[in-house]
PDB file of all heavy atoms in Angstrom:
ATOM      1  N   ILE F 213     -34.878  23.140 -14.588  1.00  0.00           N
ATOM      2  CA  ILE F 213     -35.169  22.424 -13.331  1.00  0.00           C
ATOM      3  C   ILE F 213     -35.830  21.089 -13.684  1.00  0.00           C
ATOM      4  O   ILE F 213     -36.860  21.063 -14.360  1.00  0.00           O
ATOM      5  CB  ILE F 213     -36.109  23.250 -12.429  1.00  0.00           C
ATOM      6  CG1 ILE F 213     -35.493  24.628 -12.142  1.00  0.00           C
ATOM      7  CG2 ILE F 213     -36.410  22.502 -11.126  1.00  0.00           C
ATOM      8  CD1 ILE F 213     -36.455  25.613 -11.494  1.00  0.00           C
ATOM      9  N   THR F 214     -35.221  20.002 -13.192  1.00  0.00           N
ATOM     10  CA  THR F 214     -35.738  18.665 -13.522  1.00  0.00           C
ATOM     11  C   THR F 214     -35.971  17.881 -12.228  1.00  0.00           C
ATOM     12  O   THR F 214     -35.114  17.875 -11.340  1.00  0.00           O
ATOM     13  CB  THR F 214     -34.721  17.887 -14.394  1.00  0.00           C
ATOM     14  OG1 THR F 214     -34.422  18.678 -15.538  1.00  0.00           O
ATOM     15  CG2 THR F 214     -35.259  16.540 -14.817  1.00  0.00           C
ATOM     16  N   ILE F 215     -37.114  17.236 -12.154  1.00  0.00           N
ATOM     17  CA  ILE F 215     -37.392  16.300 -11.050  1.00  0.00           C
ATOM     18  C   ILE F 215     -37.426  14.891 -11.639  1.00  0.00           C
ATOM     19  O   ILE F 215     -38.057  14.667 -12.668  1.00  0.00           O
ATOM     20  CB  ILE F 215     -38.773  16.585 -10.398  1.00  0.00           C
ATOM     21  CG1 ILE F 215     -38.745  17.893  -9.601  1.00  0.00           C
ATOM     22  CG2 ILE F 215     -39.208  15.425  -9.515  1.00  0.00           C
ATOM     23  CD1 ILE F 215     -40.049  18.182  -8.857  1.00  0.00           C
ATOM     24  N   VAL F 216     -36.766  13.956 -10.946  1.00  0.00           N
ATOM     25  CA  VAL F 216     -36.848  12.542 -11.355  1.00  0.00           C
ATOM     26  C   VAL F 216     -37.479  11.755 -10.215  1.00  0.00           C
ATOM     27  O   VAL F 216     -37.035  11.849  -9.065  1.00  0.00           O
ATOM     28  CB  VAL F 216     -35.443  11.959 -11.642  1.00  0.00           C
ATOM     29  CG1 VAL F 216     -35.562  10.506 -12.094  1.00  0.00           C
ATOM     30  CG2 VAL F 216     -34.715  12.782 -12.681  1.00  0.00           C
ATOM     31  N   ASP F 217     -38.519  11.019 -10.519  1.00  0.00           N
ATOM     32  CA  ASP F 217     -39.167  10.176  -9.504  1.00  0.00           C
ATOM     33  C   ASP F 217     -39.774   8.958 -10.178  1.00  0.00           C
ATOM     34  O   ASP F 217     -40.269   9.053 -11.301  1.00  0.00           O
ATOM     35  CB  ASP F 217     -40.262  10.962  -8.754  1.00  0.00           C
ATOM     36  CG  ASP F 217     -40.632  10.282  -7.432  1.00  0.00           C
ATOM     37  OD1 ASP F 217     -41.029   9.095  -7.449  1.00  0.00           O
ATOM     38  OD2 ASP F 217     -40.516  10.924  -6.388  1.00  0.00           O
ATOM     39  N   ILE F 245     -47.606  14.359 -10.489  1.00  0.00           N
ATOM     40  CA  ILE F 245     -46.369  15.155 -10.410  1.00  0.00           C
ATOM     41  C   ILE F 245     -46.115  15.827 -11.766  1.00  0.00           C
ATOM     42  O   ILE F 245     -45.607  16.952 -11.831  1.00  0.00           O
ATOM     43  CB  ILE F 245     -45.157  14.276 -10.004  1.00  0.00           C
ATOM     44  CG1 ILE F 245     -45.455  13.527  -8.701  1.00  0.00           C
ATOM     45  CG2 ILE F 245     -43.903  15.127  -9.810  1.00  0.00           C
ATOM     46  CD1 ILE F 245     -44.361  12.554  -8.275  1.00  0.00           C
ATOM     47  N   GLY F 246     -46.527  15.160 -12.842  1.00  0.00           N
ATOM     48  CA  GLY F 246     -46.338  15.697 -14.186  1.00  0.00           C
ATOM     49  C   GLY F 246     -46.999  17.066 -14.364  1.00  0.00           C
ATOM     50  O   GLY F 246     -46.610  17.841 -15.258  1.00  0.00           O
ATOM     51  N   ALA F 247     -47.977  17.377 -13.503  1.00  0.00           N
ATOM     52  CA  ALA F 247     -48.658  18.679 -13.612  1.00  0.00           C
ATOM     53  C   ALA F 247     -47.679  19.830 -13.373  1.00  0.00           C
ATOM     54  O   ALA F 247     -47.942  20.967 -13.773  1.00  0.00           O
ATOM     55  CB  ALA F 247     -49.812  18.748 -12.614  1.00  0.00           C
ATOM     56  N   LEU F 248     -46.533  19.545 -12.747  1.00  0.00           N
ATOM     57  CA  LEU F 248     -45.554  20.607 -12.491  1.00  0.00           C
ATOM     58  C   LEU F 248     -44.935  21.124 -13.792  1.00  0.00           C
ATOM     59  O   LEU F 248     -44.316  22.185 -13.805  1.00  0.00           O
ATOM     60  CB  LEU F 248     -44.437  20.095 -11.562  1.00  0.00           C
ATOM     61  CG  LEU F 248     -44.880  19.679 -10.150  1.00  0.00           C
ATOM     62  CD1 LEU F 248     -43.722  19.052  -9.400  1.00  0.00           C
ATOM     63  CD2 LEU F 248     -45.409  20.879  -9.384  1.00  0.00           C
ATOM     64  N   SER F 249     -45.101  20.362 -14.880  1.00  0.00           N
ATOM     65  CA  SER F 249     -44.519  20.814 -16.154  1.00  0.00           C
ATOM     66  C   SER F 249     -45.159  22.126 -16.596  1.00  0.00           C
ATOM     67  O   SER F 249     -44.527  22.925 -17.292  1.00  0.00           O
ATOM     68  CB  SER F 249     -44.634  19.732 -17.223  1.00  0.00           C
ATOM     69  OG  SER F 249     -45.990  19.418 -17.389  1.00  0.00           O
ATOM     70  N   ILE F 253     -41.281  23.065 -14.944  1.00  0.00           N
ATOM     71  CA  ILE F 253     -40.421  22.084 -14.267  1.00  0.00           C
ATOM     72  C   ILE F 253     -40.517  20.783 -15.065  1.00  0.00           C
ATOM     73  O   ILE F 253     -41.624  20.272 -15.284  1.00  0.00           O
ATOM     74  CB  ILE F 253     -40.896  21.873 -12.809  1.00  0.00           C
ATOM     75  CG1 ILE F 253     -40.742  23.178 -12.019  1.00  0.00           C
ATOM     76  CG2 ILE F 253     -40.153  20.718 -12.148  1.00  0.00           C
ATOM     77  CD1 ILE F 253     -41.532  23.235 -10.732  1.00  0.00           C
ATOM     78  N   ARG F 254     -39.363  20.291 -15.495  1.00  0.00           N
ATOM     79  CA  ARG F 254     -39.367  19.048 -16.269  1.00  0.00           C
ATOM     80  C   ARG F 254     -39.501  17.875 -15.307  1.00  0.00           C
ATOM     81  O   ARG F 254     -38.748  17.809 -14.317  1.00  0.00           O
ATOM     82  CB  ARG F 254     -38.061  18.943 -17.059  1.00  0.00           C
ATOM     83  CG  ARG F 254     -38.028  17.764 -18.010  1.00  0.00           C
ATOM     84  CD  ARG F 254     -36.995  17.991 -19.096  1.00  0.00           C
ATOM     85  NE  ARG F 254     -35.657  18.004 -18.525  1.00  0.00           N
ATOM     86  CZ  ARG F 254     -34.622  17.298 -19.022  1.00  0.00           C
ATOM     87  NH1 ARG F 254     -34.790  16.530 -20.065  1.00  0.00           N
ATOM     88  NH2 ARG F 254     -33.432  17.381 -18.464  1.00  0.00           N
ATOM     89  N   VAL F 255     -40.446  16.984 -15.558  1.00  0.00           N
ATOM     90  CA  VAL F 255     -40.656  15.835 -14.674  1.00  0.00           C
ATOM     91  C   VAL F 255     -40.394  14.565 -15.455  1.00  0.00           C
ATOM     92  O   VAL F 255     -40.985  14.351 -16.515  1.00  0.00           O
ATOM     93  CB  VAL F 255     -42.099  15.822 -14.113  1.00  0.00           C
ATOM     94  CG1 VAL F 255     -42.314  14.605 -13.223  1.00  0.00           C
ATOM     95  CG2 VAL F 255     -42.384  17.106 -13.337  1.00  0.00           C
ATOM     96  N   ILE F 256     -39.496  13.736 -14.916  1.00  0.00           N
ATOM     97  CA  ILE F 256     -39.180  12.487 -15.605  1.00  0.00           C
ATOM     98  C   ILE F 256     -39.507  11.330 -14.672  1.00  0.00           C
ATOM     99  O   ILE F 256     -38.967  11.244 -13.561  1.00  0.00           O
ATOM    100  CB  ILE F 256     -37.708  12.465 -16.036  1.00  0.00           C
ATOM    101  CG1 ILE F 256     -37.526  13.609 -17.044  1.00  0.00           C
ATOM    102  CG2 ILE F 256     -37.319  11.124 -16.650  1.00  0.00           C
ATOM    103  CD1 ILE F 256     -36.140  13.891 -17.440  1.00  0.00           C
ATOM    104  N   GLN F 257     -40.428  10.494 -15.131  1.00  0.00           N
ATOM    105  CA  GLN F 257     -40.835   9.361 -14.295  1.00  0.00           C
ATOM    106  C   GLN F 257     -39.984   8.149 -14.641  1.00  0.00           C
ATOM    107  O   GLN F 257     -40.165   7.509 -15.685  1.00  0.00           O
ATOM    108  CB  GLN F 257     -42.315   9.039 -14.511  1.00  0.00           C
ATOM    109  CG  GLN F 257     -42.827   8.032 -13.495  1.00  0.00           C
ATOM    110  CD  GLN F 257     -44.154   7.441 -13.874  1.00  0.00           C
ATOM    111  OE1 GLN F 257     -44.854   7.951 -14.733  1.00  0.00           O
ATOM    112  NE2 GLN F 257     -44.504   6.352 -13.227  1.00  0.00           N
TER     113      GLN F 257
END
Side-chain angles (χ1 to χ4, degrees):
I213 303 169
T214 305
I215 289 184
V216 181
D217 198 303
I245 306 176
L248 297 174
S249 59
I253 296 163
R254 186 159 66 131
V255 179
I256 297 172
Q257 190 194 344

